[in-house]
Amino acid sequence: MLIYINRKVLKLWRKLSAEMSIELFLVAENWKHLLAGIFFQYIHGLAAHGIHYMHRPGPTLQDTGFFFLPELGQERSYISEMLFTFIFMSFVLWTFHPFVLQSKRIYTVLIWCRVLTYLGVCQILRIVTFYSTQLPGPNYHCREGSKLAKLPPPESAVELLVINFSRGVNYGCGDLIFSSHMIFTIVFVKTYCRYGTKRCIKYFAWLLAVFQSLLILASRKHYTVDVVVAWYTVNLVIFFLDRKLLELPDRPGLTSLPLLPQTNKDSRNKDEHQNLLGVFSVEFAD
């Protein structure tokens, strides 16, 4: 029994080592794209933080979704965040599954390069939109009379530039059109539907996205227009970006490493890539 366990542990370790070698090579090839995508998440958080200073609480606007969906109430508003956390963590775990499971259709680094590209373009459009017109937030802490509805003017640049992301997610106001939660949800679902393998999970993921939309409205975190605009904007962004970005390579071969279009000067030799990754793509037998 102990020998069997040791063999399994050794096999898993060899698999993790081989996969890590491939992914580190891809990180070296695409670190600029990864770094730019991660940095833009800070820029997006900074923009959402800044609009909170400009937020002016007022009466909740008339909304069709609010008319049909009863409020969950402030004490149950966490339900939508729980579902979003489940979707987020499930997607993250799926992107790292090649490190453990035998069925490998994706490279983790290349998937995240693509996802960060989708998110970045959608968030640029979102920033332009919610800075164009500031609406009174429908969330409970954004309504008139709440101390959290409006931030006092920043006393220094440090206060403005240092962001408490958890507080911004839960208690932000003003960054309404269009929903950031739906940006992440739709990007994750679309990405899995394109590169995932389980059809039942794909159907289930779209069902979760619909439930997420309804829960956001029932929690009064966004107006219906914020959710509706997110649905068609994110899908259109992904549609047009997919026509410009290079397709992700299928395993075990890697025909074109750079995710985004590159100049001839920056591109590497195709045979060099295939030979290097061919060394790391060995599947270890039992």
Side-chain angles (χ1 to χ4, degrees):
M1 182 65 179
L2 184 60
I3 297 177
Y4 175 78
I5 294 176
N6 289 337
R7 288 183 60 192
K8 287 295 182 181
V9 171
L10 179 60
K11 179 184 175 182
L12 179 61
W13 172 249
R14 295 172 66 186
K15 190 189 307 180
L16 288 172
S17 299
E19 199 68 32
M20 184 65 71
S21 300
I22 298 173
E23 297 294 344
L24 288 176
F25 177 75
L26 293 174
V27 168
E29 287 287 322
N30 298 277
W31 68 270
K32 292 181 180 179
H33 301 146
L34 290 170
L35 186 62
I38 294 171
F39 179 72
F40 193 79
Q41 298 309 301
Y42 166 76
I43 297 298
H44 176 253
L46 188 66
H49 181 59
I51 200 65
H52 198 165
Y53 289 104
M54 304 171 62
H55 179 253
R56 296 294 182 270
T60 303
L61 303 178
Q62 183 175 337
D63 189 273
T64 304
F66 294 177
F67 178 78
F68 288 104
L69 289 173
E71 290 190 45
L72 285 176
Q74 192 168 3
E75 67 280 359
R76 291 187 295 273
S77 60
Y78 67 89
I79 297 176
S80 66
E81 290 299 326
M82 289 180 60
L83 179 58
F84 177 74
T85 302
F86 173 78
I87 295 172
F88 188 94
M89 294 307 301
S90 298
F91 181 80
V92 171
L93 291 175
W94 170 74
T95 62
F96 283 92
H97 84 275
F99 286 85
V100 180
L101 301 182
Q102 287 291 118
S103 57
K104 307 172 183 179
R105 286 193 57 192
I106 63 170
Y107 292 96
T108 301
V109 170
L110 297 185
I111 279 288
W112 278 106
C113 282
R114 203 173 192 91
V115 166
L116 288 171
T117 302
Y118 293 151
L119 293 176
V121 175
C122 291
Q123 288 166 341
I124 289 173
L125 297 176
R126 181 173 188 260
I127 292 170
V128 172
T129 305
F130 66 64
Y131 268 101
S132 299
T133 302
Q134 292 82 50
L135 302 179
N139 211 334
Y140 303 103
H141 64 269
C142 298
R143 298 175 184 177
E144 290 181 300
S146 172
K147 295 181 180 180
L148 300 173
K150 184 180 178 182
L151 294 178
E155 297 180 357
S156 65
V158 174
E159 182 181 342
L160 183 64
L161 296 176
V162 175
I163 306 169
N164 186 330
F165 279 97
S166 62
R167 181 181 177 86
V169 169
N170 295 315
Y171 297 106
C173 296
D175 56 328
L176 293 175
I177 302 177
F178 41 98
S179 171
S180 179
H181 282 59
M182 291 309 302
I183 290 177
F184 280 89
T185 299
I186 297 172
V187 165
F188 291 167
V189 172
K190 290 279 290 184
T191 303
Y192 181 80
C193 286
R194 183 164 185 175
Y195 299 107
T197 57
K198 304 295 185 182
R199 181 175 298 181
C200 60
I201 296 180
K202 296 178 183 181
Y203 292 144
F204 182 63
W206 282 119
L207 185 62
L208 288 182
V210 173
F211 273 119
Q212 178 71 72
S213 303
L214 299 177
L215 287 174
I216 288 174
L217 297 179
S219 302
R220 302 301 188 255
K221 294 182 177 180
H222 278 278
Y223 294 108
T224 304
V225 64
D226 307 337
V227 175
V228 171
V229 171
W231 269 99
Y232 63 73
T233 301
V234 177
N235 278 286
L236 286 173
V237 166
I238 293 175
F239 173 77
F240 285 109
L241 284 179
D242 281 342
R243 300 178 65 181
K244 297 295 183 181
L245 300 178
L246 298 178
E247 184 52 81
L248 297 189
D250 291 329
R251 302 184 70 127
L254 190 61
T255 58
S256 181
L257 275 179
L259 176 69
L260 301 176
Q262 301 282 317
T263 62
N264 291 332
K265 181 179 179 180
D266 296 331
S267 60
R268 299 291 187 88
N269 185 273
K270 175 180 174 181
D271 294 334
E272 176 187 347
H273 289 160
Q274 291 177 333
N275 292 336
L276 179 59
L277 289 175
V279 175
F280 296 131
S281 299
V282 177
E283 298 291 346
F284 296 100
D286 291 330

